[in-house]
């Protein structure tokens, strides 16, 4: 007897349903308002908001999604003086992105300060109600405009106990203040880092206690301002960035131009009590007006590297452009100034103002810097800028300070932020070594290969001497006043049996870094190229 056994194998197919990321359009029948779309959003969704003005006060959930407008000035969130334009207070967000929006006319969210509730964050409020141990709220804002907002604390941006928030390529301007306030941007954080990158912070006015306040509640936290412009801000006390608490501050590739403080006791301040470290690199401070100091430092380890301080005005010249060591005598306080330029800084009477003023008992080191002071201004050799009238403070070819720095800025101590590029992003070393100030000189380069005798033409060696800039060396520059004649002497090239061909090439006018021309080599033994 033959037994046949059939085995029936049953396979259970599990269908794993993954929620597809969706795009929610505003306005639409399903989502007539932005808040309606936010209320219906899921993780990873994108809300696309069409151009228009939306009178709303948005409250963000603890969900990571992308809120995308049509562009600043196109998609406008009007807070209608009824609260913050955007409020984060619901929990963790690590990948939330807000992009291409204008946030305006916000009045802030009530936040407890001591025993009093005050409105904070007219444009953006990031607030963790559970304190420093609560959720880390860390949104990213890209290409947003934050303007004409109010609020007693942080009229533009307020952040308390948030996470590593990022503001990238944002325009923060014309935010005004109530009678009592602390800043246009106020950050009170226990986050690892808060970053402002490529932001323009300008034309903010009437901020009684400062432009930006950053307070860290944990050691090792930091705030970084990189490639930002601070322009024409007017405050009663502090018109720059104030760091307080136990965190670190990094200010890199930033410009501070035309900012004004109305106080007689404060200036443009980048520092704060009890800061662990403050590093300022590749920054320009020009045409600012302060009280007793344009830049005040009171941290414990401060470095000013590759910076230019020029044409600033102090209400009182008794102290200096940089005022360091406001705390009582403390040997732990140190300041290093390296590769920097201090020139043209005056008090309201026109008298020369000293560069760094360091209080007794504090450590100070000055390396490879040009520092004009009352004691040396009659003998001081001033740097030559391309066009200081229009805030072009790049050194002209032949100026003092070119190749005058040190390359130690390229390998800084861990607490510092040396850079391999200048304020405009150009390579930091053009010739032999780094230049003083926030820019490399940007020499005219006719042919990058023609630095000295580099090759042969017409059977012999050749060299190039360039007028108003040389590929080989600034000392090869020849400047000829208009209406005068010149004598040119030549010598036989070493180890050459025949005369070398040469060209004389001139530029009419002042050379700039944009004047790039190629010398026509190999065009004859003696050729005068058109000027």
């Amino acid at each position: 007897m033959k037994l046949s056994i059939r085995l029936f194998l049953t396979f259970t197919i599990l269908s794993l349903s993954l929620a597809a990321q969706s795009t929610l359009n505003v306005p639409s029948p399903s989502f007539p308002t932005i808040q309606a779309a936010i209320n219906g959003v899921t993780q990873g969704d994108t809300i696309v908001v069409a151009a228009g003005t939306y009178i709303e006060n948005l409250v963000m959930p603890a969900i990571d999604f992308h809120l995308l407008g049509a562009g600043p000035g196109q998609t406008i969130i009007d807070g209608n003086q009824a609260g913050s334009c955007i409020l984060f207070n619901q929990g963790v967000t690590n990948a939330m992105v807000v992009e291409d929006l204008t946030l305006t006319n916000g009045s802030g969210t009530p936040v407890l300060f001591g025993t009093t509730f005050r409105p904070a964050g007219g444009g953006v409020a990031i607030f963790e109600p559970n304190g420093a141990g609560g959720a880390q709220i860390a949104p990213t804002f890209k290409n947003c405009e934050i303007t004409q907002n109010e609020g007693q604390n942080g009229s533009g941006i307020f952040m308390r106990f948030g996470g590593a928030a990022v503001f990238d390529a944002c325009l923060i301007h014309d935010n005004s203040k109530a009678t009592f306030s602390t800043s246009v941007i106020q950050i009170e954080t226990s986050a690892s880092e808060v970053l402002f990158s490529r932001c323009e912070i300008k034309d903010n006015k009437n901020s009684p206690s400062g432009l930006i306040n950053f307070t860290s509640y944990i050691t090792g936290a930091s705030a970084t301002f990189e490639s930002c412009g601070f322009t024409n801000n007017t405050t009663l006390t502090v018109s720059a960035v104030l760091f307080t608490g136990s965190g670190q501050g990094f200010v890199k590739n930033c410009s501070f131009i035309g900012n004004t403080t109305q106080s007689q006791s404060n200036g443009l301040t980048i520092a704060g009590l009890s800061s662990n470290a403050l590093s300022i690199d590749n920054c320009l401070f020009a045409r600012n007006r302060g009280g007793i100091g344009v830049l005040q430092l009171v941290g414990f380890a401060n470095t000013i590297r590759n910076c230019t301080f020029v044409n600033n005005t102090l209400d009182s010249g008794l102290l200096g452009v940089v005022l360091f060591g406001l705390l009582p005598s403390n040997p732990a306080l140190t300041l290093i100034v390296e590769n920097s330029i201090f020139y043209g800084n005056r008090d309201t009477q026109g008298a020369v103002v000293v560069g760094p003023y360091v209080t007794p008992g504090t450590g100070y080191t000055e390396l490879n810097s040009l520092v004009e002071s009352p004691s040396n201004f009659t003998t001081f050799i001033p740097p030559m800028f391309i066009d200081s009238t229009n805030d072009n403070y790049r050194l002209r070819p032949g100026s003092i300070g070119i190749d005058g720095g040190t390359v130690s800025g390229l390998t800084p101590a861990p607490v510092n932020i040396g850079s391999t590029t200048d304020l405009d992003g150009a390579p930091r070393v053009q010739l032999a070594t780094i230049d003083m100030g926030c820019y490399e000189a940007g020499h005219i380069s006719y042919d990058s290969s023609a630095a000295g005798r580099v090759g042969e033409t017409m059977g012999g060696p050749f060299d190039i001497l360039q007028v108003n800039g040389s590929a080989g060396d600034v000392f090869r520059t020849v400047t000829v006043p208009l209406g005068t004649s010149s004598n040119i002497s030549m010598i036989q090239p070493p180890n050459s049996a025949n005369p070398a061909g040469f060209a004389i090439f001139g530029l009419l006018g002042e050379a700039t870094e944009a004047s790039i021309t190629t010398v026509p080599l190999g065009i004859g033994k003696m050729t005068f190229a058109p000027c």
Side-chain angles (χ1 to χ4, degrees):
M1 178 176 163
K2 193 173 184 179
L3 181 63
S4 177
I5 300 176
R6 295 184 180 181
L7 299 177
F8 293 91
L9 301 179
T10 302
F11 294 90
T12 301
I13 299 177
L14 298 178
S15 177
L16 300 178
S17 177
L18 298 178
Q21 295 179 352
S22 302
T23 298
L24 289 65
N25 293 296
V26 179
S28 67
S30 299
F31 307 110
T33 66
I34 303 174
Q35 189 66 58
I38 291 173
N39 294 341
V41 77
T42 59
Q43 190 81 8
D45 286 350
T46 297
I47 298 176
V48 177
V49 185
T53 298
Y54 301 82
I55 301 178
E56 301 191 48
N57 303 96
L58 305 180
V59 179
M60 297 297 186
I63 298 173
D64 288 327
F65 65 97
H66 192 174
L67 179 61
L68 178 64
Q74 300 297 311
T75 300
I76 301 170
I77 299 176
D78 185 336
N80 198 33
Q81 289 292 300
S84 301
C85 294
I86 294 183
L87 170 64
F88 293 82
N89 67 347
Q90 302 297 308
V92 176
T93 57
N94 293 316
M96 169 71 198
V97 177
V98 179
E99 186 173 5
D100 288 342
L101 298 172
T102 289
L103 309 177
T104 188
N105 200 27
S107 60
T109 297
V111 175
L112 184 63
F113 291 86
T115 59
T116 304
F117 280 92
R118 295 202 296 264
V124 177
I126 302 170
F127 176 61
E128 169 48 53
N130 295 318
Q136 294 292 290
I137 304 174
T140 294
F141 286 80
K142 294 182 178 180
N143 194 34
C144 287
E145 179 186 30
I146 302 172
T147 182
Q148 297 182 11
N149 296 287
E150 301 285 350
Q152 291 183 353
N153 289 71
S155 61
I157 299 168
F158 176 80
M159 177 176 175
R160 176 176 283 183
F161 303 127
V166 174
F167 293 85
D168 181 44
C170 291
L171 174 60
I172 304 167
H173 71 101
D174 291 291
N175 295 282
S176 60
K177 302 297 298 181
T179 302
F180 176 82
S181 61
T182 58
S183 57
V184 173
I185 299 172
Q186 183 167 338
I187 300 171
E188 303 173 4
T189 183
S190 56
S192 57
E193 180 180 19
V194 176
L195 173 65
F196 284 78
S197 175
R198 303 185 300 159
C199 292
E200 286 293 325
I201 302 167
K202 66 178 186 178
D203 298 323
N204 298 285
K205 301 183 186 303
N206 302 321
S207 170
S209 299
L211 181 62
I212 298 176
N213 270 328
F214 171 79
T215 301
S216 171
Y217 294 112
I218 63 172
T219 301
S222 66
T224 298
F225 295 84
E226 182 172 359
S227 301
C228 293
F230 299 79
T231 309
N232 296 334
N233 298 288
T234 301
T235 68
L236 296 183
T237 55
V238 178
S239 62
V241 187
L242 178 64
F243 297 93
T244 61
S246 58
Q248 300 183 57
F250 302 99
V251 183
K252 176 180 179 181
N253 292 346
C254 292
S255 61
F256 299 82
I257 301 176
N259 301 286
T260 301
T261 58
Q262 301 172 12
S263 170
Q264 296 294 317
S265 61
N266 283 290
L268 188 152
T269 301
I270 305 182
L273 298 174
S274 302
S275 293
N276 279 343
L278 176 66
S279 295
I280 304 171
D281 190 69
N282 281 355
C283 290
L284 171 65
F285 300 83
R287 295 192 294 103
N288 301 290
R289 174 157 181 170
I292 59 173
V294 169
L295 179 63
Q296 300 180 9
L297 304 174
V298 290
F300 284 86
N302 301 279
T303 300
I304 298 173
R305 176 173 287 142
N306 309 329
C307 291
T308 299
F309 297 81
V310 62
N311 297 339
N312 299 286
T313 302
L314 275 65
D315 293 332
S316 171
L318 296 178
L319 299 178
V321 179
V322 172
L323 181 61
F324 175 65
L326 292 178
L327 296 177
S329 179
N330 185 337
L333 289 171
T334 59
L335 171 65
I336 297 175
V337 173
E338 184 177 8
N339 297 348
S340 296
I341 297 173
F342 294 80
Y343 172 64
N345 303 293
R346 300 292 187 264
D347 65 16
T348 54
Q349 304 303 313
V352 176
V353 176
V354 70
Y357 176 88
V358 181
T359 58
T362 56
Y364 174 59
T365 302
E366 184 180 299
L367 303 171
N368 304 292
S369 296
L370 294 172
V371 181
E372 183 187 35
S373 69
S375 62
N376 72 1
F377 81 98
T378 57
T379 58
F380 182 78
I381 301 175
M384 297 186 298
F385 301 114
I386 293 293
D387 187 2
S388 59
T389 301
N390 294 302
D391 293 325
N392 186 343
Y393 296 103
R394 191 178 295 277
L395 295 175
R396 291 193 305 180
S399 171
I400 189 172
I402 294 176
D403 288 341
T406 172
V407 296
S408 66
L410 303 181
T411 54
V415 297
N416 299 326
I417 52 169
S419 177
T420 57
T421 60
D422 70 4
L423 181 56
D424 282 343
R428 204 57 177 101
V429 175
Q430 295 283 345
L431 295 178
T433 187
I434 197 170
D435 297 337
M436 294 182 186
C438 57
Y439 299 105
E440 284 293 293
H443 302 289
I444 301 170
S445 179
Y446 294 91
D447 184 342
S448 59
S449 67
R453 186 193 301 175
V454 295
E456 294 185 354
T457 181
M458 299 184 66
F462 70 83
D463 198 350
I464 294 180
L465 175 64
Q466 298 168 355
V467 177
N468 288 341
S470 170
D473 192 313
V474 295
F475 297 108
R476 298 159 51 80
T477 299
V478 176
T479 301
V480 180
L482 293 176
T484 61
S485 60
S486 303
N487 295 318
I488 301 174
S489 299
M490 303 184 65
I491 62 173
Q492 185 78 2
N495 304 318
S496 176
N498 300 310
F502 69 92
I504 298 177
F505 188 84
L507 288 178
L508 181 62
E510 186 178 25
T512 70
E513 63 270 23
S515 302
I516 300 175
T517 309
T518 299
V519 173
L521 298 175
I523 56 178
K525 291 206 170 189
M526 176 179 273
T527 301
F528 291 86
C531 293

